[in-house]
């Protein structure tokens, strides 16, 4: 099999960003080696709050342009609580990357694994497996401070805008329906719920109207509706009933963290931000500077984001090897929890970043060997 080299822009960022990024690429490289046929070439870009403290800018000169020249972007973590801009907001160059490359589809998988903490007592919580699909360039985040769009009226008032455009929303809903079809082909329910506040805001009624219009082209995909406040309630009452939840940016920011808390915590919160021509992958957790470099971080959110990146590369560049490598990483995580071999400190376990990485490396080798020999 001929080898394919993928160019990956790597922004380790701040806090535990370096720890989890290094763990991720250790395992991705191993998975790629085991399946053969591809290699990930890392191209480092400096950015983040630490870099801002050093230089006064949040990303190295030409960094945004260079990021877009790669096949994908991987980001570890951005931000330090005490490092703020003059507006009082945190450093966030990744929000500019979202807008620059129109990464409109923010994919946040939420899945319950065996032997992980369950915050809900109902035994059906073991079946939680859904996607929060968050529009990532518009909504209320259109007015994020990094873009300079807020209307600041002296020291007495600030007005932020919620922007919903037909162009982006049509693409988002199409993405949601295609994602549901893909999940159905993999044994998932394959239905889409539009989460909005259409009863109050015209922008949200417009969001729902477009959902209905685009849904007509996907008549094989069941669709439903929920107001965002009711959806928050239903994520506690019956999260196992949902599959793909599509929503505005701020709603997705909040509900994805709530949903992540149901399946262990933010250390499991993987994220893909996908556009028509570019994609960025990152763990959805923060930079956790209090445990930086202490071998305590749970690297799984980053590792699972890396698997999402391989899946994206497989589809975008028609690479069966990348798909096999993604499956290898995902299966290693699943088997590791099933066999109680993954016990992150985040869950009260005895394994830090290095131990988790080493155990996953063993699992990848075992699974790859089983595949090669035809063992079950």
């Amino acid at each position: 099999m001929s080898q394919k080299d993928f160019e990956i822009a790597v922004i380790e960022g701040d806090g535990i960003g370096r720890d989890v990024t290094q763990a991720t690429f250790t395992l991705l490289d191993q998975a790629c080696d085991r399946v053969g046929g591809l290699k990930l070439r890392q191209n480092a870009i400096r950015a983040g709050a630490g870099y801002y403290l050093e230089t006064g800018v949040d990303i190295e000169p030409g960094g945004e342009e260079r990021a877009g020249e790669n096949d994908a972007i991987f980001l570890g973590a951005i931000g330090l609580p005490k490092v703020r801009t003059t507006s009082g907001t945190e450093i966030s160059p990744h929000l500019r990357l979202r807008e620059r490359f129109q990464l409109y589809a923010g994919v946040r998988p939420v899945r319950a694994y065996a032997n992980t903490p369950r915050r809900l007592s109902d035994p059906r919580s073991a079946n939680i497996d859904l996607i929060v699909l968050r529009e990532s360039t518009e909504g209320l985040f259109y007015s994020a401070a990094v873009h300079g769009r807020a209307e600041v009226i002296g020291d007495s008032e600030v007005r932020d805008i919620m922007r919903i455009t037909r162009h982006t929303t049509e693409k988002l809903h199409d993405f949601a329906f295609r994602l549901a079809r893909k999940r159905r082909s993999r044994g998932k329910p394959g239905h889409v719920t539009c989460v909005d506040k259409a009863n109050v805001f015209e922008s949200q009624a417009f969001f729902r109207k477009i959902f209905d219009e685009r849904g007509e082209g996907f008549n094989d995909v069941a669709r439903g509706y929920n107001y965002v406040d009711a959806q928050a309630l239903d994520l506690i009452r019956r999260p196992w009933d949902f599959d793909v939840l599509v929503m505005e940016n701020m709603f997705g920011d909040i509900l994805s963290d709530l949903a992540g808390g149901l399946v262990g915590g933010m250390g499991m919160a993987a994220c893909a931000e996908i556009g028509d021509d570019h994609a960025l992958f990152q763990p959805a957790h923060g930079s956790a500077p209090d445990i930086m470099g202490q071998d305590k971080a749970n690297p799984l959110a980053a590792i699972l984001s890396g698997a999402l990146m391989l899946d994206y590369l497989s589809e975008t560049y028609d690479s069966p090897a990348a798909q096999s490598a993604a499956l290898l990483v995902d299966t290693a995580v699943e088997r590791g929890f099933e066999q109680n071999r993954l016990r992150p400190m985040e869950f009260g376990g005895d394994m830090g970043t290095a131990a988790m990485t080493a155990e996953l490396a063993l699992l990848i080798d075992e699974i790859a060997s089983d595949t090669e020999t035809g063992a079950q």
Side-chain angles (χ1 to χ4, degrees), residues 45-245:
I45 296 175
R46 295 192 66 197
Y51 187 73
Y52 179 83
L53 280 179
E54 291 178 21
T55 66
V57 295
D58 58 13
I59 189 168
E60 67 177 70
E64 292 186 26
E65 293 80 1
R66 285 178 52 216
E69 295 168 357
N70 287 260
D71 297 311
I73 305 165
F74 189 91
L75 187 151
I78 290 286
L80 296 171
K82 294 183 180 180
V83 181
R84 304 272 175 164
T85 67
T86 55
S87 69
T89 58
E90 291 192 22
I91 305 302
S92 50
H94 52 300
L95 299 187
R96 281 202 314 277
L97 292 175
R98 286 180 190 169
E99 179 163 291
R100 182 187 186 100
F101 300 121
Q102 286 299 289
L103 309 179
Y104 57 87
V107 181
R108 300 283 185 93
V110 180
R111 180 183 173 188
Y113 288 89
N115 296 309
T116 58
R118 295 202 187 127
R119 312 303 180 187
L120 302 178
S121 59
D122 193 306
R124 288 174 291 182
S125 63
N127 300 319
I128 296 173
D129 187 346
L130 58 87
I131 301 284
V132 173
L133 179 59
R134 165 192 180 189
E135 198 291 311
S136 290
T137 65
E138 298 184 343
L140 195 56
F141 271 65
Y142 174 77
S143 296
V146 71
H147 303 311
R149 295 180 177 129
E151 182 183 357
V152 181
I153 304 172
D155 195 35
S156 61
E157 185 176 345
V158 176
R159 298 175 182 174
D160 291 322
I161 297 169
M162 178 183 290
R163 185 188 194 214
I164 303 293
T165 69
R166 172 173 289 279
H167 175 71
T168 297
T169 307
E170 285 184 345
K171 293 196 294 183
L172 176 74
H173 290 322
D174 287 354
F175 188 100
F177 290 119
R178 290 195 301 268
L179 179 59
R181 278 179 176 169
K182 179 179 177 180
R183 284 173 60 81
R184 188 174 62 204
S185 72
R186 296 180 176 181
K188 312 298 182 184
H191 53 76
V192 184
T193 302
C194 181
V195 179
D196 56 45
K197 197 65 176 170
N199 56 331
V200 175
F201 296 104
E202 290 189 32
S203 61
Q204 291 296 296
F206 186 51
F207 187 88
R208 182 180 288 204
K209 173 188 174 185
I210 297 171
F211 176 78
D212 284 336
E213 291 174 356
R214 304 311 291 182
E216 292 302 313
F218 297 88
N219 287 323
D220 58 311
V221 180
R223 62 185 190 261
Y225 312 84
N226 220 350
Y227 295 136
V228 64
D229 46 339
Q231 186 64 63
L233 176 62
D234 283 340
L235 283 175
I236 303 301
R237 294 195 307 181
R238 53 186 188 94
W240 43 83
D241 287 339
F242 297 97
D243 192 45
V244 177
L245 305 172

Side-chain angles (χ1 to χ4, degrees), residues 15-49:
I16 62 171
R18 180 178 183 183
D19 305 356
V20 300
T21 298
Q22 291 181 348
T24 297
F25 279 92
T26 294
L27 296 170
L28 296 187
D29 289 344
Q30 181 182 356
C32 291
D33 287 343
R34 290 307 304 249
V35 303
L38 74 157
K39 182 179 178 60
L40 305 179
R41 297 170 58 90
Q42 299 180 50
N43 300 310
I45 296 175
R46 295 192 66 197

Side-chain angles (χ1 to χ4, degrees), residues 242-308:
F242 297 97
D243 192 45
V244 177
L245 305 172
V246 61
M247 64 197 73
E248 176 272 340
N249 209 334
M250 178 62 84
F251 295 163
D253 190 34
I254 296 168
L255 292 190
S256 60
D257 280 18
L258 170 59
L262 301 179
V263 295
M266 295 306 291
M268 301 297 295
C271 175
E273 297 181 347
I274 300 173
D276 293 337
D277 303 306
H278 301 85
L280 181 151
F281 302 84
Q282 63 171 330
H285 57 61
S287 61
D290 56 319
I291 60 171
M292 174 181 62
Q294 298 178 36
D295 192 31
K296 294 181 179 179
N298 180 359
L300 287 173
I303 292 164
L304 291 168
S305 298
L308 291 174

